[in-house]
Amino acid sequence: MTYRAPVEDILLALNYGAALNEAIRAGHYRNYDADTASAVIAEAGKFASEVLAPLNRVGDEHGATLKDNKVTTSPGWRDAYQGWVEAGWNSLTGAEEFGGQGLPIVLHAACSEIWSAANMAFGLCPLLTAGAIEALTVHGADDLKQTYLAKLVSGEWTGTMQLTEPQAGSDVGALRTRAEKQSDGSYRLTGTKIFITYGDHDMTANIVHLVLARLPGAPEGTKGISLFVVPKFLVNADGSLGARNDVYATGLEHKLGIHGSPTCTMTMGDNGGAVGYLVGEENNGMACMFTMMNQARLGVGLEGVGIAERATQQALAYAHERRQGRALGYKSGEPDPIAVHPDVKRNLMTMRALTAAARTICYATAVAIDASHQAQDEAAREKANARAGLLTPMAKAFSTDIANEVAALGVQVHGGAGFIEETGAAQYVRDARILTIYEGTNGIQANDLVMRKLGADKGAALRDLLDELEQIVARLNASNDPAFGATGAILRDALGSAARASEWLLDKIGSNPNEALAAATPYLRLLSLATGGCMLARQALDGRTDDALRDHARRRAPLARFLAENMVVQAPALEQSIIRGGGAIDDADMTLAD
Amino acid sequence: MTYRAPVEDILLALNYGAALNEAIRAGHYRNYDADTASAVIAEAGKFASEVLAPLNRVGDEHGATLKDNKVTTSPGWRDAYQGWVEAGWNSLTGAEEFGGQGLPIVLHAACSEIWSAANMAFGLCPLLTAGAIEALTVHGADDLKQTYLAKLVSGEWTGTMQLTEPQAGSDVGALRTRAEKQSDGSYRLTGTKIFITYGDHDMTANIVHLVLARLPGAPEGTKGISLFVVPKFLVNADGSLGARNDVYATGLEHKLGIHGSPTCTMTMGDNGGAVGYLVGEENNGMACMFTMMNQARLGVGLEGVGIAERATQQALAYAHERRQGRALGYKSGEPDPIAVHPDVKRNLMTMRALTAAARTICYATAVAIDASHQAQDEAAREKANARAGLLTPMAKAFSTDIANEVAALGVQVHGGAGFIEETGAAQYVRDARILTIYEGTNGIQANDLVMRKLGADKGAALRDLLDELEQIVARLNASNDPAFGATGAILRDALGSAARASEWLLDKIGSNPNEALAAATPYLRLLSLATGGCMLARQALDGRTDDALRDHARRRAPLARFLAENMVVQAPALEQSIIRGGGAIDDADMTLAD
């Protein structure tokens, strides 16, 4: 079956779950037009269903191939990319001075979910381009911007992020690629990078690599790395393409999933060194990298939402088509669709509820990013920036954790057929498995949440978030709507657990940071469940005031209830694990002999 | 890296976790010799490491192939199977009158874990043979036993279970394969079966298919199915092989995992019908099938334990070898092994703790099965039989659920390398994914636990289990050992939750069975966590009295604590989900439009 963009779900999550409507009322958006937004999302859904979704399996089966240092993508992918660029999809949020449409990040987020759902391996390519655009926009000198930004914004060229080396994965500071300054002010780069997504491909005439490297005599670790633009083809003064640069794909990984996305080993310097241009200051590459990565982390979270949505749609369709056994109370003459069996329904609702919660967290992150740029007063921008920082690790890690859970349940709903590759459900399991790893493993996201995002402002941003969530619970309880079951009480307990766990962590960050780190993963889960649970309840509650979404919002109340009664209810146990778990982790050896 | 059988873990789990020592003292074992047992387990580990483990990746890469209705297994597999049979591994628990060694099921369970860990796709073949042996032993007429059992017990021939048809998966009663009686008392079978594991292969001279089919005029549904032996080659009176029977592999599935294990479409009747022989009574096939499946369900649980153990060993080795970043408090000059980072350690401990809990539940099931056959008085046998019935769905579903969780964490610990197929960690994710589906999906196991195992005796077996677990908690609390942290209190809460949830379910089974079914999956998880948590604490506590295992048992106390404080602690939330969850599931539509 193909993918159908869940336009109503997206609009409900965006406007009411992530409270975009409130942000607009608060004046945080200069140029948001609701009708344009709906139209853009619907049109993205159409392109995704018609062009990208049918190529998803083609990419999985063919994969990308490497011959003579050239990568060829799967049949149909080049044309699809060209059509996607021509329709203007790459330039949605780009700056108007470089040909972009200047639309807010929330629309980019909604569309990113849609591309990922239709074809995650395809959608990964513009995700990297967006990171390159962001880094150049924030840190690049004018001449670099003039040379590269318009082509990247349009999508005529794509971007890569070249960080990882064999000995430098999560530990970026351990990288060894060298850059030496030339008399003309450019640099020559030498080294090998691994795991480079779309490091080479045949979909565009040029590729703009953003490469982290080390200058001679640079300080050790992360303080000694610098960021460079290294184009595949050098660019002449008139903008035409010049000589082939000395950066080549020399290997292609054989991966569990996303076969359509080439993961390259890139070698620079076999022919004298790759020409590179410094982005920002020397030895300031780490800051530039974070600029690229923050947007990319939300993007990866949205990939998780997309895959989860796709897996859910396919499982739901199968559960309505496949008939096995007779359900109690459904006495028809023939076997019933498995969707009516209570345990199968539980699986489907788990998939739907986790997806909806993750979507809302990701969109709330996008709203915060928009407000951090566009809010009218600086205090509001700063507050929004802190909120975006707090939500980003949750958007990345929670959404991708649940993407794996949901994809696995999708196979489960299919029974034996799910294990057969032709069914397609297994591909989502394989594709989703990278999401918890790249752009910072989910463990690193959890450490970032605790040590940097919670700790940096001594819990101020966290308390601000919890206050907002408390207000949702108060309004939910005031509504006295039986459709929500025990949701209000469970959410209140969860917020209490989140608050106590946060205070405990704030204390430990200083006094015993290893215990704080040991508790990071359950803390991220707890905070995400509390946040997602409250925001899902908010969209079910507030969406009813919207004429166009009223019926859809009403159908979301049992889902918010299901999430609360089956997942958010775990919050007090997570609080206990946070507070107690570190002890056992400290005591145990986990030596090889264990 | 290769696999090393965790002999001490196995002995500790068997003797103290599953309380084999108590069962022996109670006189439930006629012929158990502890020294023999240790020697057998160690020897199995040696064979597994040296012969089976190296073929695991070969099987994954080559897979099985089909040509002219003949399946060829991967290079080296035929020889490995022959060597395995010659070493006597297939005949461990077979009846002595048919050449078996008559050893108890617990030893078979330990060895099954070991074969599955070394090479799950290989170990699946004898798992099916064991089911065929069991069905023929219990239900077969003497002439069938004489013709087939000795060859199946030795492993010279293998067995299959042919149940599934395209329209008849979980709903076995919907099958359409036809059997017609012939004048000589045999039957002719016509039909197509799918998903038949090792339906054809080149490792043995003959294959003994056990096939469910329907006689003309048989009652509809499960009451009208009969079981037949259908050999690949007919067997002459002198035991030599005769004509090729009309049962052929006509298709081979392209699967997510276990590529080494051929999953066949089997066609009977293209050449006049396959010759079959009735097992048991006509229309009594369902009872025979359950005989095959009960043992197979424990076997699948042990596959889960095996895969989880293998994934844990590989992740642990990698985490000690891979160096990234510096951990707080570990100021060495170079990056630290990632095993010392608290979040990585949490992942490793989660893997180890869940594996240990599942192992103990599976072994306790095996002890109960042995006692149900061998206990001296009938009351003890009946009680053991009820205990085995209660534990079997937990052994199957919990062990395979955690196998998927553990295998996914295994990839996570490897970071980006985990997503690369050559690393090997991804294979465990792919292989494990079938475990929650075959031999009755885990949803069906949960339904079976609630509706048949809990409901059948109005909770008597359940209360008997909870009483035993209460005694563990009492002894644990009396020990006052700080190494266990909050384990005692958490286990006590969990048992309370399990008891209340059970009583609630016992009420609903009669009054609102759909609500009971909706709660089945969280109930199975709750009961498994409580059971596994208590039994893991028991092995850490009681194993210290064993001179040979004392040190190992001491290292298991922090693990029991970690399991309690991080997983068993979820029991009260699961209780709430059970009691409240059905409401949301009943209210929601989960229509396609949702």
Side-chain angles (χ1 to χ4, degrees):
Chain A
M1 62 157 287
T2 188
Y3 160 74
R4 188 184 62 82
V7 177
E8 287 187 317
D9 263 351
I10 288 175
L11 292 174
L12 190 66
L14 204 53
N15 289 319
Y16 300 97
L20 172 61
N21 56 344
E22 286 177 29
I24 292 169
R25 272 201 301 275
H28 296 345
Y29 279 82
R30 267 173 259 149
N31 55 354
Y32 189 84
D33 176 74
D35 290 339
T36 306
S38 302
V40 166
I41 292 168
E43 204 53 42
K46 193 155 171 284
F47 191 95
S49 301
E50 288 173 4
V51 181
L52 302 185
L55 292 174
N56 188 43
R57 212 171 138 59
V58 176
D60 188 53
E61 282 181 333
H62 284 261
T65 50
L66 175 70
K67 198 180 164 193
D68 301 332
N69 299 130
K70 286 179 188 153
V71 172
T72 306
T73 52
S74 303
W77 280 46
R78 188 175 192 284
D79 289 347
Y81 182 81
Q82 298 291 345
W84 185 83
V85 164
E86 280 160 25
W89 290 114
N90 199 66
S91 63
L92 222 52
T93 56
E96 280 154 299
E97 67 172 303
F98 295 107
Q101 301 165 55
L103 292 169
I105 300 289
V106 285
L107 276 183
H108 185 254
C111 293
S112 292
E113 175 196 323
I114 290 171
W115 315 136
S116 299
N119 192 331
M120 178 179 142
F122 179 95
L124 198 45
C125 185
L127 182 65
L128 277 300
T129 306
I133 292 171
E134 185 83 359
L136 281 173
T137 302
V138 177
H139 303 282
D142 271 348
D143 61 329
L144 283 183
K145 289 188 188 178
Q146 292 307 328
T147 308
Y148 295 101
L149 267 181
K151 303 276 190 178
L152 286 169
V153 165
S154 69
E156 195 176 333
W157 299 346
T158 66
T160 74
M161 285 164 58
Q162 301 203 12
L163 284 51
T164 304
E165 300 178 10
Q167 79 295 345
S170 297
D171 187 1
V172 180
L175 66 84
R176 291 178 196 152
T177 292
R178 292 172 56 84
E180 298 204 40
K181 193 162 187 176
Q182 308 298 303
S183 54
D184 64 355
S186 71
Y187 294 77
R188 290 295 174 285
L189 278 77
T190 314
T192 300
K193 297 284 182 177
I194 59 168
F195 297 165
I196 306 308
T197 300
Y198 283 96
D200 192 54
H201 61 77
D202 57 352
M203 303 196 300
T204 57
N206 203 5
I207 301 174
V208 181
H209 305 293
L210 284 158
V211 183
L212 285 181
R214 192 175 288 288
L215 294 166
E220 277 192 21
T222 53
K223 287 176 186 144
I225 55 184
S226 308
L227 182 67
F228 300 88
V229 163
V230 178
K232 177 177 175 181
F233 286 96
L234 301 180
V235 180
N236 298 323
D238 64 356
S240 63
L241 295 186
R244 182 71 169 83
N245 202 358
D246 186 16
V247 50
Y248 289 97
T250 49
L252 202 57
E253 300 289 356
H254 173 222
K255 308 189 298 291
L256 175 60
I258 51 167
H259 297 160
S261 162
T263 303
C264 303
T265 301
M266 301 299 295
T267 303
M268 288 167 288
D270 276 359
N271 302 296
V275 177
Y277 311 99
L278 183 68
V279 181
E281 306 286 310
E282 289 192 351
N283 297 333
N284 197 31
M286 206 63 186
C288 304
M289 189 198 80
F290 273 114
T291 301
M292 289 194 282
M293 285 193 83
N294 272 336
Q295 175 137 342
R297 284 174 175 186
L298 172 58
V300 173
L302 288 160
E303 291 186 292
V305 175
I307 282 278
E309 173 66 32
R310 182 81 184 265
T312 305
Q313 287 190 15
Q314 178 157 341
L316 199 52
Y318 183 81
H320 279 277
E321 170 197 312
R322 170 75 171 167
R323 291 171 176 274
Q324 284 287 278
R326 287 186 192 142
L328 298 167
Y330 286 76
K331 297 285 178 213
S332 61
E334 50 177 340
D336 288 305
I338 61 171
V340 304
H341 292 297
D343 190 73
V344 175
K345 205 167 158 187
R346 167 179 287 282
N347 283 338
L348 294 170
M349 290 185 74
T350 303
M351 298 172 78
R352 180 60 88 214
L354 289 173
T355 306
R359 173 182 289 125
T360 304
I361 291 173
C362 285
Y363 290 178
T365 311
V367 169
I369 294 173
D370 275 333
S372 77
H373 297 143
Q374 298 195 30
Q376 290 171 341
D377 63 293
E378 185 165 339
R381 287 197 297 275
E382 275 181 17
K383 199 170 138 176
N385 191 50
R387 171 68 64 88
L390 188 68
L391 289 178
T392 296
M394 292 195 260
K396 197 279 182 180
F398 179 72
S399 304
T400 59
D401 280 340
I402 70 96
N404 279 276
E405 296 166 38
V406 168
L409 285 174
V411 170
Q412 189 69 18
V413 168
H414 283 80
F419 199 62
I420 308 303
E421 287 288 3
E422 285 77 1
T423 305
Q427 189 192 337
Y428 309 134
V429 168
R430 291 189 287 98
D431 287 355
R433 197 63 204 76
I434 190 60
L435 296 173
T436 59
I437 296 170
Y438 65 21
E439 297 306 326
T441 67
N442 284 7
I444 285 186
Q445 303 300 323
N447 290 350
D448 174 62
L449 174 66
V450 169
M451 304 305 274
R452 294 160 50 98
K453 305 304 171 59
L454 177 69
D457 61 3
K458 300 200 186 337
L462 182 274
R463 288 185 204 102
D464 176 64
L465 173 66
L466 293 184
D467 285 347
E468 181 180 325
L469 301 177
E470 289 282 6
Q471 289 167 33
I472 297 171
V473 176
R475 290 195 295 114
L476 181 67
N477 287 337
S479 79
N480 274 324
D481 184 339
F484 286 99
T487 306
I490 290 169
L491 291 177
R492 178 148 285 165
D493 284 352
L495 292 177
S497 288
R500 286 187 297 274
S502 302
E503 298 304 330
W504 184 89
L505 281 165
L506 281 165
D507 176 57
K508 290 290 171 189
I509 290 169
S511 64
N512 189 342
N514 271 324
E515 262 201 283
L517 290 169
T521 287
Y523 178 68
L524 187 143
R525 183 85 178 184
L526 164 56
L527 201 55
S528 302
L529 284 172
T531 304
C534 289
M535 290 182 172
L536 187 59
R538 176 162 65 185
Q539 74 190 53
L541 198 62
D542 295 349
R544 304 174 184 186
T545 60
D546 186 315
D547 288 344
L549 295 171
R550 179 173 297 129
D551 290 347
H552 198 71
R554 285 218 174 100
R555 286 201 302 276
R556 285 291 167 266
L559 202 70
R561 176 181 172 191
F562 181 83
L563 185 81
E565 292 181 352
N566 290 279
M567 288 118 207
V568 188
V569 71
Q570 291 154 10
L574 289 163
E575 179 193 351
Q576 282 200 61
S577 296
I578 290 162
I579 290 171
R580 290 170 164 166
I585 292 177
D586 250 18
D587 283 1
D589 274 342
M590 290 312 285
T591 59
L592 279 173
D594 260 350
Chain B
M1 64 157 286
T2 189
Y3 160 75
R4 188 185 61 83
V7 177
E8 286 186 318
D9 263 350
I10 288 175
L11 291 174
L12 190 66
L14 203 55
N15 288 319
Y16 300 98
L20 172 61
N21 57 343
E22 285 178 29
I24 292 168
R25 273 202 300 276
H28 297 344
Y29 278 82
R30 267 174 259 148
N31 55 354
Y32 189 84
D33 176 73
D35 291 339
T36 306
S38 302
V40 165
I41 292 168
E43 205 53 43
K46 193 154 172 283
F47 191 96
S49 300
E50 290 172 2
V51 180
L52 302 185
L55 292 174
N56 188 42
R57 210 169 141 62
V58 176
D60 188 53
E61 283 181 334
H62 283 263
T65 48
L66 175 69
K67 198 180 165 193
D68 301 332
N69 300 130
K70 285 178 188 155
V71 172
T72 306
T73 52
S74 303
W77 281 46
R78 188 175 193 282
D79 288 349
Y81 183 82
Q82 299 289 345
W84 186 83
V85 165
E86 279 159 26
W89 289 115
N90 199 67
S91 63
L92 221 55
T93 55
E96 282 155 297
E97 68 173 301
F98 296 107
Q101 299 166 57
L103 292 169
I105 299 290
V106 286
L107 276 183
H108 185 252
C111 293
S112 291
E113 175 195 324
I114 291 170
W115 314 136
S116 300
N119 192 330
M120 179 179 141
F122 179 94
L124 199 45
C125 186
L127 182 66
L128 276 300
T129 306
I133 293 170
E134 185 84 358
L136 281 173
T137 302
V138 177
H139 303 282
D142 272 349
D143 60 329
L144 283 183
K145 290 186 187 178
Q146 293 307 326
T147 308
Y148 295 102
L149 268 180
K151 302 276 191 180
L152 286 169
V153 165
S154 70
E156 195 176 333
W157 298 347
T158 66
T160 75
M161 285 164 59
Q162 300 203 10
L163 283 50
T164 304
E165 300 178 11
Q167 78 295 346
S170 297
D171 187 3
V172 181
L175 66 85
R176 291 179 193 148
T177 294
R178 293 172 57 83
E180 298 204 42
K181 192 162 187 176
Q182 307 298 302
S183 53
D184 65 354
S186 72
Y187 294 76
R188 290 294 174 285
L189 278 78
T190 315
T192 301
K193 297 285 184 178
I194 59 168
F195 297 164
I196 306 308
T197 300
Y198 283 95
D200 192 55
H201 62 76
D202 58 350
M203 304 195 300
T204 58
N206 204 4
I207 300 173
V208 181
H209 306 293
L210 283 157
V211 184
L212 285 182
R214 192 175 289 288
L215 295 166
E220 277 192 20
T222 53
K223 287 175 184 145
I225 55 182
S226 307
L227 182 68
F228 300 88
V229 163
V230 178
K232 177 178 176 179
F233 287 97
L234 300 180
V235 181
N236 298 322
D238 64 355
S240 63
L241 294 187
R244 182 69 168 83
N245 202 358
D246 186 16
V247 51
Y248 289 97
T250 51
L252 203 58
E253 302 289 357
H254 173 222
K255 306 189 299 291
L256 175 61
I258 50 167
H259 297 160
S261 162
T263 303
C264 303
T265 301
M266 301 299 294
T267 304
M268 290 167 286
D270 276 357
N271 302 296
V275 177
Y277 311 100
L278 184 69
V279 180
E281 305 285 311
E282 288 190 350
N283 297 332
N284 197 31
M286 206 61 188
C288 303
M289 188 198 80
F290 274 114
T291 302
M292 287 193 284
M293 284 192 82
N294 272 337
Q295 175 137 343
R297 285 174 174 185
L298 173 58
V300 172
L302 288 159
E303 291 186 292
V305 175
I307 282 279
E309 173 65 32
R310 181 81 183 264
T312 305
Q313 287 190 15
Q314 178 156 342
L316 198 53
Y318 184 81
H320 279 277
E321 170 197 313
R322 171 75 172 168
R323 291 171 176 272
Q324 283 288 279
R326 288 186 191 141
L328 298 167
Y330 287 76
K331 298 284 178 212
S332 62
E334 50 178 338
D336 288 304
I338 62 170
V340 304
H341 292 296
D343 190 74
V344 174
K345 205 166 159 188
R346 166 179 288 281
N347 283 338
L348 294 169
M349 289 185 76
T350 303
M351 298 173 77
R352 181 59 89 215
L354 288 173
T355 305
R359 173 182 288 124
T360 305
I361 291 174
C362 285
Y363 290 178
T365 311
V367 169
I369 293 173
D370 275 333
S372 76
H373 296 144
Q374 297 195 30
Q376 288 171 343
D377 64 293
E378 185 165 339
R381 287 197 298 276
E382 275 181 15
K383 200 172 139 174
N385 192 50
R387 170 67 63 89
L390 188 69
L391 290 178
T392 295
M394 291 195 262
K396 197 279 181 181
F398 179 72
S399 304
T400 59
D401 280 339
I402 69 96
N404 279 276
E405 296 165 37
V406 169
L409 285 174
V411 170
Q412 190 69 20
V413 168
H414 284 78
F419 199 62
I420 308 302
E421 287 288 2
E422 284 76 2
T423 306
Q427 188 191 339
Y428 310 134
V429 168
R430 293 189 286 97
D431 286 356
R433 198 62 204 78
I434 191 59
L435 296 173
T436 59
I437 295 170
Y438 64 22
E439 295 305 327
T441 67
N442 284 8
I444 285 185
Q445 303 300 324
N447 290 350
D448 175 62
L449 174 66
V450 170
M451 303 305 274
R452 292 159 51 97
K453 305 303 171 56
L454 177 68
D457 62 2
K458 300 199 187 335
L462 181 274
R463 288 187 204 100
D464 176 64
L465 173 65
L466 293 183
D467 284 349
E468 182 179 325
L469 301 177
E470 289 282 6
Q471 289 168 34
I472 297 170
V473 175
R475 290 196 294 114
L476 182 65
N477 287 337
S479 80
N480 274 325
D481 184 339
F484 287 98
T487 306
I490 290 169
L491 291 177
R492 179 147 285 165
D493 284 351
L495 293 176
S497 288
R500 287 187 297 275
S502 302
E503 298 303 329
W504 184 88
L505 281 165
L506 282 165
D507 176 56
K508 291 289 173 190
I509 290 168
S511 64
N512 189 344
N514 271 324
E515 262 201 283
L517 290 168
T521 287
Y523 178 68
L524 186 143
R525 184 82 178 187
L526 163 57
L527 201 56
S528 301
L529 284 171
T531 304
C534 289
M535 289 180 172
L536 188 58
R538 176 162 65 187
Q539 75 189 53
L541 198 64
D542 295 350
R544 305 172 183 187
T545 60
D546 186 314
D547 288 345
L549 297 171
R550 178 173 297 130
D551 290 346
H552 198 71
R554 286 219 173 98
R555 284 201 303 275
R556 284 292 168 264
L559 202 68
R561 175 180 173 192
F562 181 83
L563 185 80
E565 292 180 350
N566 291 278
M567 288 120 207
V568 188
V569 71
Q570 291 154 11
L574 289 164
E575 179 193 351
Q576 282 200 62
S577 297
I578 290 162
I579 290 171
R580 289 171 165 164
I585 291 177
D586 252 16
D587 283 359
D589 274 343
M590 289 313 282
T591 59
L592 279 171
D594 259 351

